[in-house]
Amino acid sequence: MKWRFDDMVAFVSVVEAGSLTAAADYLNVSKSAVSKRISDLEVALGIELFRRSRERLRLTTAGQSFYKNVNPLIRNLNGVIGEASIQRTAALSGELRIVMPVSFGAVFLRSAIAPFAR
């Protein structure tokens, strides 16, 4: 089995959030999806990254080492993608037409429209 980028992002998110539930909320996926990604990564790498108990997850020594090495890579890649997105959005121009009920726009899009208009 090969490792996947999403699995590594899930791993870093779990380490930083401190739990599967918090990482799932951050990633906007289910807790079981995060757990599966961690398990898939462990199988792909052939190592145990976490010690699991009913109360908590704890990083193994291998997990600590892996986190120390992969975290800067993930952060750097996210920075590169962010910079590319900024360059892409800086070139946007033209008219944007959104059709929706006024009540929906007032509740959900008010905070997004003003910065976009600027």
Side-chain angles (χ1 to χ4, degrees):
M1 175 180 254
K2 293 182 179 181
W3 59 270
R4 295 180 343 181
F5 181 74
D6 288 344
D7 298 343
M8 289 192 298
V9 170
F11 168 73
V12 169
S13 297
V14 169
V15 172
E16 292 179 351
S19 72
L20 290 172
T21 303
D25 289 343
Y26 173 74
L27 296 170
N28 200 27
V29 298
S30 68
K31 180 181 171 183
S32 61
V34 173
S35 181
K36 174 94 170 85
R37 288 177 183 176
I38 299 298
S39 295
D40 289 350
L41 183 60
E42 288 177 327
V43 169
L45 298 174
I47 58 174
E48 185 180 44
L49 298 168
F50 291 101
R51 295 245 186 255
R52 294 160 176 84
S53 69
R54 297 187 96 208
E55 296 84 31
R56 60 189 290 211
L57 288 174
R58 292 195 336 204
L59 276 173
T60 62
T61 304
Q64 290 172 352
S65 177
F66 186 70
Y67 175 75
K68 185 177 117 185
N69 290 308
V70 79
N71 186 41
L73 298 172
I74 300 283
R75 290 195 182 281
N76 189 27
L77 186 55
N78 282 335
V80 168
I81 290 169
E83 285 180 29
S85 295
I86 288 170
Q87 290 174 4
R88 181 191 71 209
T89 57
L92 291 178
S93 65
E95 183 178 316
L96 173 66
R97 182 177 292 216
I98 301 174
V99 179
M100 74 187 87
V102 172
S103 59
F104 180 85
V107 173
F108 295 105
L109 296 179
R110 182 183 315 167
S111 62
I113 290 174
F116 182 79
R118 280 193 290 263

